[in-house]
Amino acid sequence: MTESTTSTIANKSDLERKQIRRERISLVLKDKTFLVGAFILSFWIILAIFGSIIAPHGAGDQDFNFVSHSPTSKFFFGTDANGRDVFSRVILGTRLIVVMAFSATILGTVLGTSLGLATGYFKGKFDMIVMRLVEAISAIPVLIIALLAIAALEGRSPTLTVIVIGFVFTPNIGRTVRAAVLGESELEYVAAARLRTERTRHILFREILPNVLPPIIVEFTVRLGYAIFAIATLSFLGAGVEYGSPNWGSQIAENWGNIYSNVWWPTAFPALAIASLAVSINLISDSLLEIFEL
Amino acid sequence: MHKLNQIFQALTKLLLVLVGATFLLSLIVRLLPGSPADFYTNAFNEEDRLLQIKALGLDRNAFSSYAHWIFDLVRGDFGPFFMSGGSTRPTSLIIAQSIPRSLLIMLYVQIVSLTIAIPLGLLTAYRADKAVDRIISTGLFAGSAIPGFALALSLGYFFGVRLQLLPTIGYVPIAEGLGEHFKHLILPVASLSIPLCASYARILRAEIISTLRQDYVTMAVSKGISNSRVLIKHVLRPSSTSLITTASLNMGALIGGTVIIDQIFALGGLGQQITFAIFARQYIALQSYIALIAIAFILFTVLADLLIGVVDPRTRNRNV
């Protein structure tokens, strides 16, 4: 997919390419799918920043007169089995997952882009060895690698989880970027830069990188969605975050047993939160995919 | 002959991948804090403790341990599952119980997803940007965007708790009654199929739309061949390569990667065993589980390549 993107605009001049890019950006900004996604995402980002001011109760505050109580005017989303306010815990859980997902995806994208630039530009033996390694890693489900690595490093720390997810994403992002770079490095402007005896660093980051940005941005948004899934799943399994902290995955893990006695609210609201965050990011990546890959 | 050669080459390449992946894994598990030597020995004096460690095979270094494991594996022995006090039992016992479950679930999920996704993909592509497409595509988007466990929990709540229609826990083997078997699997299979079916249909839709723009399709239509015949005979086949690739890549992930669904519905499949093995430091068993997933991944990748060659002969001379 990415290769066709680069090849369709490949034989156009620099000026035309800039024009196309500008048109695409204005298309994205007019796209309803993108706008809805961006709206929901900014809602969650605002909650992530100002959550501690907005939340009516503290994350650990317990009210023993209201244990597993259904939603009321005092507790909008009801309370859990420990008498804690589900509404506040959902709001306070936003920051961790948003910060973790963005950091992990940024890390993975930076590493993957470097890997893709290097393998796609230098090719040869280095490229071959790295690609075989990438294949070996992709034979094992991502979630299992992450679970293993987190267990191996004995981590309930969010930082560690971010690093692990970033590294797990690197091979896939690297492959996407590599495909785009392979197409680009055949083009005249790269040959011209080589003839001008520009430094390799200049060619990679100043010449090629700006031209492979669209697939990288699309890949970033797709991975961001996966990162939300991965973090929620890992924390649901009790890996990667402190247990009992107000994060959505552990809230579900702590409470889902109670849905069988009809106490659905402590599970449903964090689950809805995860779903809506994931949906918003998917809307954005869907819209970008549609516009950039045509 | 040429094709055979290609398959052989692909298989050797992938076998190397298998060896590399499992060796990397054997090194990672050694990094896990808390050695199984501490978990599974209970001797009071050092001498007995060393004997127990030897009985578990934990006195070997990384290379010798890996060599032992892979040698056993080739002979169909999945290695020891550690028991307390330095005894072991064969990991194959656990695999014999969990693999049929995981394979069956994978099979059901793929059948359900594909039978629903293919007609939906055809319909939405054929009616692209019409009302029908808009409505179905929005539904498909929602299906692919919701996390699997959110789906599993809500299905469990509505059908298990509210309506009391379906069991929400446990697995019943076919031998104990086909009806009960399916009844127990409806919710897990649905939770796995909905997102998968949605993404399959979306992939197929995109590819069919680009095939519909090809000249030979216009040609076939202008020759007066009926639309449905063109769609099925001339469009579906060449449009299904991405779908086949994605579906085969999902095989491995569905066998062992369904950790959460396994856990929520207490199915005892390979996913649940893997989580357990990680937390219980079952090094060798874990290596065997992952090897099985990797083998499945390899087999299905090669199968998919063959299938694509059959479905779309244009790709046969392509270098894999």
Side-chain angles (χ1 to χ4, degrees):
Chain A
M1 274 188 287
T2 42
E3 271 164 310
S4 67
T5 324
T6 41
S7 62
T8 45
I9 42 171
N11 19 24
K12 308 217 164 79
S13 73
D14 225 28
L15 207 71
E16 275 177 301
R17 288 178 136 202
K18 270 186 193 142
Q19 181 79 29
I20 291 174
R21 220 173 289 154
R22 220 172 291 136
E23 272 169 23
R24 281 181 173 169
I25 290 170
S26 74
L27 266 181
V28 168
L29 292 177
K30 276 184 216 144
D31 189 33
K32 262 186 229 141
T33 318
F34 177 83
L35 291 177
V36 174
F39 178 77
I40 305 173
L41 182 62
S42 28
F43 167 76
W44 285 118
I45 290 178
I46 289 170
L47 275 190
I49 298 171
F50 299 107
S52 40
I53 306 170
I54 300 167
H57 302 271
D61 292 358
Q62 288 172 300
D63 187 336
F64 292 111
N65 297 319
F66 290 85
V67 171
S68 294
H69 198 286
S70 55
T72 64
S73 56
K74 189 177 175 199
F75 301 106
F76 303 134
F77 290 176
T79 60
D80 65 10
N82 294 314
R84 295 176 296 191
D85 180 29
V86 176
F87 181 66
S88 303
R89 285 175 69 78
V90 169
I91 291 178
L92 293 169
T94 316
R95 187 177 296 171
L96 191 67
I97 196 165
V98 169
V99 171
M100 281 174 78
F102 270 96
S103 334
T105 317
I106 290 171
L107 178 68
T109 309
V110 170
L111 292 176
T113 304
S114 323
L115 191 73
L117 278 172
T119 50
Y121 185 73
F122 297 116
K123 298 176 202 155
K125 268 213 184 89
F126 169 68
D127 176 40
M128 210 195 73
I129 293 169
V130 174
M131 280 303 122
R132 289 299 90 76
L133 260 176
V134 166
E135 276 165 19
I137 294 171
S138 52
I140 308 174
V142 165
L143 192 67
I144 289 171
I145 302 181
L147 205 57
L148 250 181
I150 287 166
L153 301 165
E154 205 159 15
R156 283 190 181 277
S157 105
T159 322
L160 182 73
T161 311
V162 164
I163 295 172
V164 167
I165 294 177
F167 271 96
V168 173
F169 280 174
T170 304
N172 285 308
I173 299 174
R175 217 183 314 193
T176 308
V177 178
R178 175 179 173 270
V181 172
L182 274 180
E184 280 307 300
S185 58
E186 303 293 317
L187 298 182
E188 279 160 11
Y189 72 87
V190 178
R194 271 200 206 117
L195 284 176
R196 291 201 306 271
T197 64
E198 297 279 10
R199 279 202 226 142
T200 313
R201 200 176 50 189
H202 176 91
I203 300 179
L204 280 178
F205 292 103
R206 285 293 166 86
E207 304 279 352
I208 297 180
L209 185 60
N211 287 308
V212 293
L213 266 185
I216 295 177
I217 293 170
V218 172
E219 187 71 21
F220 175 84
T221 55
V222 171
R223 292 290 148 190
L224 191 60
Y226 288 163
I228 303 274
F229 276 42
I231 293 165
T233 306
L234 288 171
S235 48
F236 176 81
L237 292 172
V241 291
E242 286 95 6
Y243 207 67
S245 71
N247 75 79
W248 300 342
S250 336
Q251 283 177 52
I252 295 174
E254 284 165 35
N255 293 305
W256 72 269
N258 294 332
I259 63 173
Y260 298 113
S261 39
N262 244 323
V263 181
W264 51 269
W265 48 92
T267 309
F269 289 111
L272 262 176
I274 294 171
S276 75
L277 183 59
V279 166
S280 74
I281 290 163
N282 283 329
L283 284 168
I284 293 173
S285 63
D286 233 44
S287 143
L288 292 183
L289 258 174
E290 187 108 326
I291 290 167
F292 280 101
E293 309 250 311
L294 277 181
Chain B
M1 207 54 225
H2 180 64
K3 190 68 206 173
L4 267 181
N5 203 10
Q6 255 185 19
I7 296 171
F8 182 71
Q9 270 182 7
L11 272 177
T12 24
K13 200 178 101 182
L14 289 164
L15 274 180
L16 283 176
V17 167
L18 172 68
V19 174
T22 47
F23 185 65
L24 273 178
L25 187 84
S26 74
L27 293 181
I28 298 177
V29 285
R30 282 188 171 255
L31 291 174
L32 289 172
S35 151
D38 304 328
F39 273 58
Y40 298 101
T41 54
N42 55 6
F44 290 109
N45 60 49
E46 192 55 26
E47 206 175 321
D48 284 351
R49 207 180 93 89
L50 288 178
L51 277 178
Q52 290 188 345
I53 289 178
K54 207 170 163 63
L56 292 169
L58 292 169
D59 54 333
R60 303 184 185 119
N61 67 33
F63 291 98
S64 137
S65 165
Y66 184 76
H68 265 93
W69 171 79
I70 206 157
F71 196 68
D72 284 348
L73 190 73
V74 173
R75 292 180 307 169
D77 176 355
F78 292 101
F81 187 86
F82 309 136
M83 305 290 280
S84 175
S87 62
T88 60
R89 60 184 197 141
T91 301
S92 6
L93 289 180
I94 300 162
I95 289 178
Q97 198 202 33
S98 58
I99 274 285
R101 300 178 178 195
S102 292
L103 280 179
L104 272 180
I105 293 170
M106 184 268 286
L107 200 68
Y108 295 153
V109 170
Q110 294 281 27
I111 292 174
V112 171
S113 313
L114 288 171
T115 31
I116 300 175
I118 293 173
L120 282 183
L122 274 169
L123 178 68
T124 49
Y126 181 58
R127 297 239 142 240
D129 290 323
K130 302 260 164 49
V132 190
D133 171 45
R134 289 264 165 80
I135 294 165
I136 297 177
S137 287
T138 312
L140 291 177
F141 173 79
S144 67
I146 294 170
F149 65 88
L151 206 60
L153 290 170
S154 25
L155 288 177
Y157 178 69
F158 281 110
F159 293 99
V161 182
R162 266 287 150 95
L163 304 173
Q164 305 266 335
L165 274 178
L166 293 164
T168 50
I169 267 178
Y171 174 88
V172 176
I174 298 182
E176 288 171 31
L178 205 58
E180 279 302 303
H181 171 73
F182 282 125
K183 231 173 145 185
H184 278 80
L185 286 182
I186 289 177
L187 290 179
V189 168
S191 322
L192 289 167
S193 300
I194 291 171
L196 212 57
C197 168
S199 71
Y200 286 174
R202 280 153 60 87
I203 291 168
L204 192 60
R205 175 183 180 272
E207 200 150 335
I208 290 180
I209 286 177
S210 75
T211 311
L212 284 174
R213 294 200 193 111
Q214 302 275 327
D215 291 339
Y216 71 85
V217 177
T218 324
M219 166 85 173
V221 174
S222 61
K223 267 181 12 194
I225 305 175
S226 77
N227 278 348
S228 57
R229 200 179 149 81
V230 171
L231 264 183
I232 305 221
K233 278 262 165 184
H234 301 264
V235 176
L236 184 58
R237 272 177 74 147
S239 303
S240 48
T241 48
S242 305
L243 183 61
I244 293 173
T245 313
T246 318
S248 72
L249 281 179
N250 273 321
M251 298 279 194
L254 275 174
I255 292 173
T258 59
V259 179
I260 295 234
I261 305 291
D262 250 19
Q263 193 127 327
I264 290 179
F265 295 108
L267 297 171
L270 201 58
Q272 210 175 352
Q273 298 299 348
I274 287 173
T275 337
F276 172 73
I278 290 174
F279 289 113
R281 307 289 179 265
Q282 292 285 359
Y283 287 12
I284 307 291
L286 181 64
Q287 238 161 279
S288 299
Y289 299 154
I290 307 265
L292 278 177
I293 296 177
I295 290 171
F297 175 85
I298 289 169
L299 283 181
F300 287 117
T301 314
V302 172
L303 264 180
D305 262 358
L306 285 177
L307 195 58
I308 287 172
V310 174
V311 170
D312 191 355
R314 289 173 302 176
T315 59
R316 265 180 217 165
N317 295 323
R318 188 189 58 177
N319 240 330
V320 190

